[in-house]
Amino acid sequence: ALAGMLRRAPKLAVVDLSNNRIGDDGAQHLAWALEAIRKDAKASIGLKALRLGHNSIEETGAAALWNACQGENGPWLTINLEGNAGQKTFEKLDQQKRPQKQ
């Protein structure tokens, strides 16, 4: 549903799904939708930020979301996980995988 909605609204830049009890299962489904969008060469979307604060997203969901927002040249999407237990996992992955500046 999210992937289809984003394809129909290419100018939508920010989606705020904070405080919706998404949890790890919901985060995994969001990650699958984001992966589908990222892999679709024809997709023309303007999404730049996804706000998922306070949704009971833990390590598993955070890791799935982190992987989904990674493109060939780094992250194509900013994800805010404020107030979720998985926020630290997301930040840790981001720090570990970010190219080091010389």
Side-chain angles (χ1 to χ4, degrees):
L2 178 65
M5 178 198 69
L6 293 172
R7 286 185 181 104
R8 289 187 300 276
K11 293 184 181 183
L12 185 63
V14 178
V15 173
D16 189 342
L17 298 174
S18 298
N19 301 302
N20 277 290
R21 300 182 199 160
I22 290 171
D24 274 349
D25 287 342
Q28 182 66 57
H29 287 283
L30 285 171
W32 290 331
L34 295 172
E35 285 275 346
I37 291 168
R38 183 175 58 87
K39 291 178 180 179
D40 183 356
K42 296 177 189 174
S44 175
I45 65 163
L47 185 65
K48 302 293 181 217
L50 181 58
R51 297 182 185 149
L52 297 171
H54 306 279
N55 272 302
S56 301
I57 297 171
E58 309 246 344
E59 291 182 9
T60 303
L65 289 165
W66 187 87
N67 284 318
C69 76
Q70 301 306 306
E72 291 178 16
N73 299 316
W76 65 275
L77 177 65
T78 300
I79 297 180
N80 179 313
L81 290 176
E82 179 181 334
N84 291 287
Q87 179 180 3
K88 289 184 181 184
T89 298
F90 193 94
E91 292 169 353
K92 186 177 178 181
L93 285 168
D94 202 37
Q95 290 173 354
Q96 289 176 349
K97 306 292 183 178
R98 185 180 302 143
Q100 300 297 318
K101 294 184 181 179
Q102 300 288 325

